[in-house]
Each structure stands twice: as structure tokens, then as C-alpha cells.
Amino acid sequence: MTRQRPAPEADPLTRPDMEAILGGRRMRRNRRTDWSRRLVRENTLTVDDLIWPIFLVDGDSVTQAVPSMPGVDRLSVDRAVAAATRAAALRIPAIALFPYTDPDLRDPSGSEAINPDNLVCAATRAIKAAVPEVGIVVDVALDPYTSHGHDGLMVGEEIVNDATVEQLCIQALIQAEAGADVIAPSDMMDGRVGAIRRALDMKGFGHVQIMAYTAKYASAFYGPFRDAVGTAKTLTGDKRTYQMDPANGDEALREAELDVAEGADLLMVKPGMPYLDILWRIKEAFGLPTFAYQVSGEYAMIEAAARNGWIDGERAMMESLTAFKRAGADGILTYFAPRVAEKLSG
Ligand code: PBG
């Protein structure tokens, strides 16, 4: 006895009437060829979108690997000048400087942050002298300088807001004096953007831009960065009384509103990929130049998986950065910057 199969054309489940369903509307038509895919592409990553974060360390001719960020090094000032020169050659618009401060120089009040000869100021001066065409973004916060690893001053268990802001203004001023182009407060104290703007304007630095870490979340993705600047071990407790709760979105819009009112020129969302919704909302609501920080943990995840052969690292790098553009970013701070710039320049 042979089992009878129904004629395929008679079975609406295996052979539905595609014309009735599609009516000629086939999305794949535009995807068939490379030229067509390029023609309909909505977002393009270019070298002009990149800011390259660089870690600094004391010494001469020092390149020190950061184990939790494979491919990223701490650089002495001379090597940082070389990196900035490479950035200029690749036409990367700007670099961002972060110091690994000698543990002996860290104290409860982060006094090294307001030393005009500290590592960041020394590097800024040297880089400005060698490659003036590269923008220099400097971080304003006390964490690389405090013995407790917090971004602000501590009184008992509390991170005190207003006294911290006072010190951040001094930090911003010495950095501007050293030649920094963009002051980037990452501390999340209330009112710091307005206070820094006033201080800069009063001292003749009206041209210096402020990139506000507008929505900076209390995130697990900063881990490798804390290794790089040496705060992983010093940090006591967590940063949840000043950095944002990862569960909140509306609150980021209120932060943005304040930063805009206080005079921020550029806004930033951090971390990056887990917070694309926040990036999109802030860009939509305010229309200011808005940046994403693809943070150390995001970089480390992509690199670790790539080095294990679990993902195609090169493609993941490009895809992640393209996603920021699609979500409305005007630019991205990324540790991949030199690699991407090299790839884009062919
Ligand atoms: C410190 C600061 C942090 C980052 C940038 N500035 C870490 C933190 O808040 O603990 C994180 C950057 C990264 O993870 O790549 N104010």
C-alpha cells in the first residue's frame, strides 16, 4: 500500500499564495546586490565620528598593557604624543585622556587633580605642542586621584556635592590652562556643568567646550577602565549615590535638560550599547551634538569573544559602532578608534 501525498500545490500550508500575501512588495529586492545595498544604506560610520580614549602613566618610553583590555596600553607622555600623532595621521578628530595616577600621589581629597603639573596637564601641553590639530578631551572627576576611588570628596560615608564642584572647577581651569579643548565632567555631581562654564568664562576660557557626561549610569561595564586607571582596588563601595540607576530612562532626559540649561555644548551617554534607547531619546529631545561612550567593558567583551574565536571581532567592532550612528550618535568614544580609522582609510 503506498501512502498518498497531497499534491504540493493543493496544500495552502506548504505552498501559500505568495502573490496574495506580498502583492509584489518584496523587501529583499533592494538587498540582492552589493551596489544596491550600498545605495540604500542609511547610516555610515566615518573617521570623523571617532574620539580615541588614551590612558596615561608616569615615566619615559613606557607602554604598559592593560590585561582586561587586550590591545589597549597605558602610555607615558612621550608615547601619548606618538599616539596623538598617529591619531592626526589617521584624521581622528579628538583624543580623550585618562591618567593612571601613582598610588603615592592619591589622597582623600584628590589633591593631585588640581596640580597644574599632573600627568593629564603635562600630556595635554606636550600633545598640543606636537599636534595642535588634534582635539583634546579631558575628564573632570576626582576618582583617578582619590585614595577611596570616588569621583567626589567624602565626608564620612557621603560624597558631598557642592564642595566637590568647587574642586572640579579648579581641575577644569588647570586643564584649560594646559591647553585642553574640551572639558568632560564625568563625576555626575549636580550643577557642575554650570559651575565649570562660569569658571571657564571668568578666566578667559570662553572658547573651551564642555562635553557633559549627561546620562552616566552606575554600570558594571566600567570594570576594565578601573583596572586601567588603578581604581578597581581603591574604590570603596559603589557609585550609586551619584551615577544613574540603570533602570531609569525618563530621568536621563531631566539630566539632559539641566546640562543644556547649564551650558553644555556636547552631550554624552555612557555606557553605550546597553543604553541606545537613552541616546536616541536625548538626541531626539534636544538635538544637540550627542555622543556615546563605548566603555571598557563593552570593548573587553568584544575583544575577549573575538580572541576566543567565538565571534568575528572585526565585524562586531564595525557593527557595534554603526549601531551608535543608527541610534543618533554624532560620534563615539571608543577604544577601537585607531583600528577603525585604519580600516576605514583602507
Ligand atoms: C571616572 C570615569 C569612568 C569612566 C570614564 N570616566 C569610570 C567610573 O565612573 O568609575 C569609564 C570609562 C570606561 O569604562 O571605559 N569618572
Side-chain angles (χ1 to χ4, degrees):
M1 204 165 59
T2 53
R3 205 159 359 125
Q4 277 252 282
R5 284 185 184 216
E9 65 270 24
D11 186 347
L13 204 64
T14 57
R15 185 163 295 184
D17 182 346
M18 292 309 287
E19 263 326 293
I21 291 167
L22 292 168
R25 295 174 294 261
R26 289 187 182 267
M27 295 301 287
R28 292 181 57 191
R29 208 174 280 131
N30 286 344
R31 298 179 198 141
R32 267 186 70 233
T33 54
D34 180 63
W35 66 261
S36 177
R37 287 192 295 270
R38 283 191 284 131
L39 201 59
V40 303
R41 188 160 294 148
E42 297 173 41
N43 294 286
T44 310
L45 179 73
T46 78
V47 71
D48 294 337
D49 297 317
L50 304 172
I51 299 177
W52 179 12
I54 291 173
F55 296 111
L56 304 168
V57 67
D58 274 325
D60 205 34
S61 307
V62 181
T63 296
Q64 231 171 49
V66 179
S68 53
M69 299 179 75
V72 172
D73 303 307
R74 298 186 194 113
L75 305 174
S76 53
V77 171
D78 56 317
R79 294 271 159 98
V81 170
T85 308
R86 184 176 168 213
L90 289 167
R91 291 195 52 76
I92 294 173
I95 58 174
L97 302 178
F98 296 96
Y100 172 90
T101 307
D102 184 334
D104 291 343
L105 296 174
R106 299 182 197 216
D107 60 25
S109 68
S111 58
E112 181 65 7
I114 54 172
N115 169 9
D117 294 317
N118 69 22
L119 200 46
V120 164
C121 292
T124 301
R125 277 191 288 269
I127 292 166
K128 264 296 143 198
V131 265
E133 69 270 32
V134 173
I136 302 182
V137 182
V138 292
D139 205 63
V140 163
L142 302 182
D143 56 314
Y145 309 99
T146 52
S147 42
H148 44 69
H150 279 291
D151 294 28
L153 300 170
M154 286 186 94
V155 174
E157 292 296 292
E158 200 189 332
I159 316 299
V160 291
N161 194 88
D162 301 7
T164 298
V165 171
E166 226 178 295
Q167 186 160 336
L168 297 178
C169 288
I170 304 171
Q171 184 183 19
L173 284 176
I174 62 154
Q175 291 173 337
E177 263 156 28
D181 299 289
V182 182
I183 300 291
S186 71
D187 55 285
M188 291 302 278
M189 296 299 119
D190 288 325
R192 91 280 207 214
V193 170
I196 291 170
R197 183 71 272 158
R198 268 189 206 203
L200 290 171
D201 290 349
M202 275 177 0
K203 296 285 182 182
F205 297 110
H207 59 282
V208 172
Q209 292 154 269
I210 295 181
M211 174 185 277
Y213 283 68
T214 293
K216 179 173 178 182
Y217 287 86
S219 173
F221 293 102
Y222 307 149
F225 174 96
R226 292 181 188 169
D227 293 334
V229 300
T231 58
K233 292 203 184 69
T234 52
L235 182 63
T236 52
D238 57 58
K239 300 191 175 184
R240 279 184 267 200
T241 68
Y242 45 106
Q243 298 180 347
M244 282 182 61
D245 184 335
N248 295 352
D250 294 342
E251 191 185 331
L253 293 182
R254 295 195 55 216
E255 284 283 2
E257 198 179 310
L258 292 169
D259 286 351
V260 173
E262 290 175 31
D265 304 287
L266 315 156
L267 306 180
M268 190 219 290
V269 173
K270 177 185 175 185
M273 230 159 45
Y275 297 86
L276 291 182
D277 57 325
I278 307 298
L279 174 66
W280 175 261
R281 289 176 72 180
I282 289 181
K283 180 67 188 178
E284 286 282 295
F286 298 94
L288 258 71
T290 306
F291 294 76
Y293 197 143
Q294 181 177 53
V295 299
S296 57
E298 299 175 67
Y299 172 86
M301 286 195 299
I302 293 173
E303 272 305 290
R307 282 169 195 245
N308 274 294
W310 296 337
I311 58 171
D312 180 334
E314 191 93 344
R315 284 186 55 202
M317 167 179 87
M318 296 308 285
E319 184 178 331
S320 64
L321 296 171
T322 302
F324 290 118
K325 292 298 291 176
R326 196 194 60 240
D330 291 282
I332 308 114
L333 289 94
T334 175
Y335 301 98
F336 288 120
R339 261 168 67 189
V340 175
E342 253 152 32
K343 191 180 163 70
L344 289 175
S345 69

